[in-house]
Amino acid sequence: MSMFLLAVLTLAGCQSQSSGNAGSFGNQVDHKIIGIDPGAGLMKLTDTTIKDYKLNNWTVQSGSESTMIAALDKAIKKKEPIVVTGWTPHWMFQKYDLKYLKDPKGSYGASENIHTVVHKGFEKEDPNATKVLDQFSWTADDMGKVMLSIQKGTDAKKAAAEWVKDNEDKVGTWTKGADKVSGKNIKLGYVAWASEIASTNVVATVLENLGYNVTLEQLGAGQMWAGLAKGSDDAIVAAWLPSTHADYMKQFKNKVTDLGPNLKGTKLGLVVPSYVKINSIDDLKD
Ligand code: PBE
């Protein structure tokens, strides 16, 4: 083969791999990681990751879960390179063919759990609701069903009510030993992350079925924790521990009571479409 032909073939190979953008993966995506809301623990862990892996020329673009999904959707439709902050459980792994970048330094922490946390004193004020909140426990599969139904367009409240109706036995273990009440108020704080929209609406439905008058308050992550500590909200089912919300927990630990995990085995990290050639966070280095 002539050198000329070899050069042409090599060039053609490079071009098809990079969807028209020249150079390294970093260059192709402008050294930009598509992030979510600034208060998310995931954003903080991503800053740490950039330091740990010395990704000096990389930045994280903040936005929200919806803007991250919109960017991902757009890139996938055009088969373009992209890297986003992601987590499991999330319906995006059902809808798209995705992979986590390997994290050999463990910057995103080990697998963790989602906890139910109440305002300190709430357990004495309303032991009945606390019992239900404490007994609330489900799996990533359960949550996945509610998330997917919402993602397909069902109203969150309706999706939650349907799941509760279809899962009487499981729900029965949550309400075991709890009394019906008549119109007692309870306020749950949450952030508009798909996982938390699903869990919070399910718990709200269960409490409503017991006679509670439930108010759901959608907040930013920082506001959610501050509101719980202040007592403007009674409970959250959205505390990702021990790593993701470690700073919030540390800041407010004297003002809240941790009722323990309601879902076990979550994961966080950098996520790319499967067609992207790189496999590890280390590969983000040019
Ligand atoms: N998340 C989803 C949240 C917790 C739930 C991973 C985006 C966070 O990073 O704080």
Side-chain angles (χ1 to χ4, degrees), residues 4-280:
F4 173 72
L5 192 58
L6 193 64
V8 169
L9 286 177
T10 311
L11 205 65
C14 282
Q15 275 178 351
S16 71
Q17 237 195 37
S18 60
S19 314
N21 286 318
S24 65
F25 181 81
N27 277 330
Q28 292 170 33
V29 299
D30 289 331
H31 298 95
K32 208 187 312 162
I33 295 166
I34 308 298
I36 54 167
D37 38 306
L42 180 55
M43 292 295 273
K44 196 160 202 151
L45 289 170
T46 303
D47 287 340
T48 311
T49 302
I50 286 181
K51 288 193 191 97
D52 290 350
Y53 287 83
K54 303 201 167 54
L55 303 173
N56 303 327
N57 50 348
W58 283 79
T59 54
V60 189
Q61 183 177 304
S62 62
S64 65
E65 181 182 333
S66 333
T67 60
M68 179 274 285
I69 293 287
L72 185 65
D73 190 81
K74 197 171 152 209
I76 288 176
K77 281 192 177 125
K78 296 190 195 156
K79 226 177 163 216
E80 282 175 357
I82 186 166
V83 53
V84 306
T85 58
W87 64 97
T88 312
H90 198 290
W91 56 261
M92 68 186 194
F93 291 93
Q94 266 87 54
K95 176 155 186 200
Y96 306 110
D97 202 358
L98 303 170
K99 62 184 178 188
Y100 277 100
L101 292 181
K102 290 200 179 68
D103 176 17
K105 293 193 201 293
S107 301
Y108 281 102
S111 162
E112 55 178 359
N113 302 321
I114 309 178
H115 290 225
T116 301
V117 182
V118 297
H119 174 66
K120 200 166 201 84
F122 184 73
E123 57 280 36
K124 291 211 185 75
E125 193 187 300
D126 194 336
N128 193 57
T130 304
K131 182 186 277 269
V132 179
L133 289 164
D134 193 20
Q135 289 175 165
F136 164 55
S137 158
W138 63 346
T139 65
D141 268 1
D142 295 328
M143 180 190 262
K145 285 190 186 120
V146 182
M147 275 195 294
L148 208 57
S149 161
I150 297 169
Q151 193 271 322
K152 287 189 172 146
T154 311
D155 169 71
K157 225 180 143 161
K158 192 161 170 241
E162 280 169 7
W163 187 90
V164 167
K165 213 165 134 240
D166 292 346
N167 289 273
E168 268 175 21
D169 289 355
K170 188 163 279 189
V171 171
T173 64
W174 307 346
T175 54
K176 199 166 173 233
D179 298 325
K180 290 234 171 204
V181 298
S182 141
K184 230 176 164 187
N185 291 330
I186 180 165
K187 252 174 121 180
L188 306 178
Y190 74 106
V191 184
W193 298 311
S195 35
E196 278 48 48
I197 293 172
S199 55
T200 309
N201 274 281
V202 163
V203 169
T205 304
V206 171
L207 289 167
E208 269 167 11
N209 290 349
L210 281 178
Y212 279 90
N213 181 14
V214 185
T215 307
L216 296 191
E217 202 173 16
Q218 191 196 306
L219 301 157
Q223 295 171 316
M224 172 180 81
W225 276 96
L228 183 71
K230 256 198 340 223
S232 55
D233 287 311
D234 299 309
I236 63 170
V237 293
W240 286 48
L241 294 166
S243 319
T244 310
H245 292 167
D247 288 352
Y248 290 129
M249 197 56 180
K250 203 169 145 209
Q251 189 180 349
F252 298 119
K253 67 172 182 302
N254 297 325
K255 306 255 169 69
V256 301
T257 304
D258 181 3
L259 300 180
N262 59 54
L263 185 150
K264 289 185 177 161
T266 62
K267 184 175 165 71
L268 267 69
L270 293 181
V271 173
V272 296
S274 299
Y275 57 76
V276 161
K277 296 275 187 289
I278 60 165
N279 286 307
S280 166

